[in-house]
Amino acid sequence: ETAAVSTLPEFQRQAGVGAIVVAEAARGQGLGRIMMTELETRIVAEGINYVRLTVVPGNLPAEALYHSLGFENFETVMMS
């Protein structure tokens, strides 16, 4: 499952997207956009008004896709 709904109050319902993966041979065909658009449609239908994405640092194609869909950088978390 790619989205998890939290148990926050109605006005703060949120979903988290941990990974959208497209096989290397299939990249550049718009599949990531199709998956994200469908996911966003389902999230909105559930009344969720906040989506949190996780992107591996340096994954510029993913960042470009998310920005083109209207997502903005919010927070950077450093991990080791």
Side-chain angles (χ1 to χ4, degrees):
E1 210 169 293
T2 56
V5 178
S6 71
T7 56
L8 296 172
E10 186 65 31
F11 66 94
Q12 291 182 335
R13 292 189 67 198
Q14 56 182 290
V17 179
I20 294 291
V21 180
V22 176
E24 190 170 337
R27 292 181 186 159
Q29 299 177 35
L31 298 175
R33 179 173 303 280
I34 291 168
M35 287 189 283
M36 282 301 299
T37 300
E38 176 63 24
L39 183 58
E40 189 171 15
T41 298
R42 291 176 185 215
I43 287 169
V44 168
E46 291 293 325
I48 296 168
N49 56 11
Y50 179 85
V51 178
R52 183 178 201 122
L53 300 169
T54 301
V55 181
V56 174
N59 187 344
L60 300 180
E63 289 182 27
L65 169 63
Y66 298 140
H67 286 153
S68 75
L69 292 170
F71 290 91
E72 299 176 7
N73 292 355
F74 174 74
E75 174 182 43
T76 301
V77 177
M78 305 294 282
M79 298 174 15
S80 65

